Amino acid sequence: MKAIVAMDQAAEAAGITLAERPEPKPAINDVVVEVHASGFVPAEWEWPSTWVDRSGHDRVPAIIGHEFAGVVSSLGYGTTGLSLGQRVFGITDWHRDGTLAEYAAVEARNLAPLPGNVDFTVGASLPISGLTAWQGLFQHGRLRAGQSVLAHGAAGAVGSVVTQLAREFGAYVIGTGRAADRQAALDFGANEFLALDHEDLDDIGRVDLVFDVIGGEIQRRSASIIRPGGTLVSVVGPVETRPVDALAVDFVVESVPSQLVEIVDRVRDGRLRTHVGTVATLDEAIPALNPTERRKGKTVIRVRP
């Protein structure tokens, strides 16, 4: 089968290639999915699991990509709850070969049904962005109606979902990003927008929850504007500057199919839209995953027409 494989950790995206790899076989409680579309997170180059397995052994050449939508093509021994030909979407295990391939082996427990009226491209853009936003807001951020949320990167793949979910659940959302992202963030539902390239975070006053996808100096400045009892949620690693009298949480997204169902139901009825940016075929994937300019939204690779 065709697959996009990472060959050189130092080269990151410049070290990937389109190669022939053996089709996976389903282990116990696995399914093999015929992949129709796969999303990609650029930060994957920084994940140790991209390069080594759980025992620390080298995984290169490793098939990259960990979110997808497709059709179940075979079942492993003992697999229940899914059927051949079923449309599914979800996240694969970080330490296993990924989804930028014609087929992927996935633990059945990590998958959710993909409704027939949700396109595979949209389905592939949802799992990591959607679950990150859901878990950050509700599990770790303990969001309540009437609170204020500072959503960094509000026009991005994760931030746009954070903005929409927070608004749906009754929060007042201040989106951030570059000045050029203002209208997109407002279109996704932000009540107001702050351009980080020329406006001051201190001007917005205190907030209850900061959802950080940037880190560094922006995170340090954000910690100072959280109200006592509030929360700083980070998806970019441990918090360097902890807020005073507030909670700081960093987390790695987990596969929770029941949450995927909640998310895709919102896509079906129009409450939520995903920010799909670049869409390319598997044959076109190398330049799409190694862009020479800033890309907006989620990059999705269409593995099958």
Side-chain angles (χ1 to χ4, degrees):
M1 68 173 184
K2 291 181 179 179
I4 303 296
V5 297
M7 304 296 295
D8 184 345
Q9 184 172 3
E12 297 186 342
I16 59 175
T17 187
L18 180 63
E20 286 290 330
R21 300 290 292 163
E23 290 188 17
K25 304 295 183 184
I28 295 173
N29 297 322
D30 268 2
V31 300
V32 170
V33 175
E34 180 186 79
V35 179
H36 283 245
S38 172
F40 183 73
V41 179
E44 190 169 326
W45 311 123
E46 303 166 14
W47 302 344
S49 57
T50 298
W51 309 105
V52 297
D53 63 20
R54 284 189 169 83
S55 299
H57 298 130
D58 191 1
R59 290 187 58 228
V60 174
I63 299 174
I64 58 175
H66 287 284
E67 59 185 333
F68 72 101
V71 175
V72 175
S73 62
S74 63
L75 303 173
Y77 179 79
T79 298
T80 59
L82 296 171
S83 58
L84 294 175
Q86 184 175 358
R87 300 171 95 248
V88 292
F89 74 123
I91 301 176
T92 63
D93 186 280
W94 310 119
H95 290 86
R96 296 177 66 171
D97 273 341
T99 57
L100 279 166
E102 293 180 301
Y103 294 91
V106 190
E107 289 184 83
R109 65 178 181 173
N110 287 334
L111 299 177
L114 181 70
N117 59 349
V118 176
D119 182 80
F120 286 116
T121 298
V122 173
S125 72
L126 284 171
I128 292 179
S129 298
L131 289 173
T132 299
W134 188 279
Q135 292 166 17
L137 286 173
F138 306 128
Q139 288 181 220
H140 304 294
R142 303 165 299 161
L143 181 68
R144 300 188 302 276
Q147 290 187 321
S148 54
V149 175
L150 180 65
H152 285 310
V158 174
S160 61
V161 182
V162 170
T163 297
Q164 293 171 84
L165 290 176
R167 281 296 305 274
E168 179 190 344
F169 282 82
Y172 184 91
V173 179
I174 304 163
T176 79
R178 301 186 185 189
D181 298 326
R182 181 183 301 274
Q183 191 56 53
L186 295 174
D187 289 345
F188 280 115
N191 296 93
E192 58 181 280
F193 181 84
L194 183 134
L196 293 173
D197 41 7
H198 64 259
E199 294 180 291
D200 193 339
L201 273 173
D202 292 332
D203 292 342
I204 67 174
R206 295 290 184 122
V207 298
D208 297 296
L209 172 63
V210 171
F211 200 118
D212 181 42
V213 299
I214 299 174
E217 179 62 23
I218 296 298
Q219 185 185 92
R220 288 191 287 273
R221 288 162 54 197
S222 300
S224 67
I225 63 170
I226 299 175
R227 290 190 178 102
T231 309
L232 170 58
V233 174
S234 168
V235 297
V236 289
V239 175
E240 296 180 12
T241 303
R242 304 183 73 84
V244 177
D245 296 326
L247 183 66
V249 180
D250 67 276
F251 75 101
V252 176
V253 65
E254 297 179 320
S255 180
V256 183
S258 61
Q259 294 174 0
L260 285 173
V261 171
E262 291 274 6
I263 292 161
V264 81
D265 280 349
R266 286 167 166 77
V267 172
R268 292 177 69 189
D269 64 22
R271 284 178 289 168
L272 179 68
R273 59 189 176 95
T274 184
H275 189 181
V276 176
T278 300
V279 179
T281 67
L282 195 60
D283 289 333
E284 302 164 340
I286 302 300
L289 299 175
N290 194 12
T292 57
E293 58 187 19
R294 180 178 178 244
R295 296 280 180 85
K296 295 182 180 181
K298 172 75 70 173
T299 295
V300 178
I301 304 302
R302 288 285 305 196
V303 178
R304 286 175 170 78

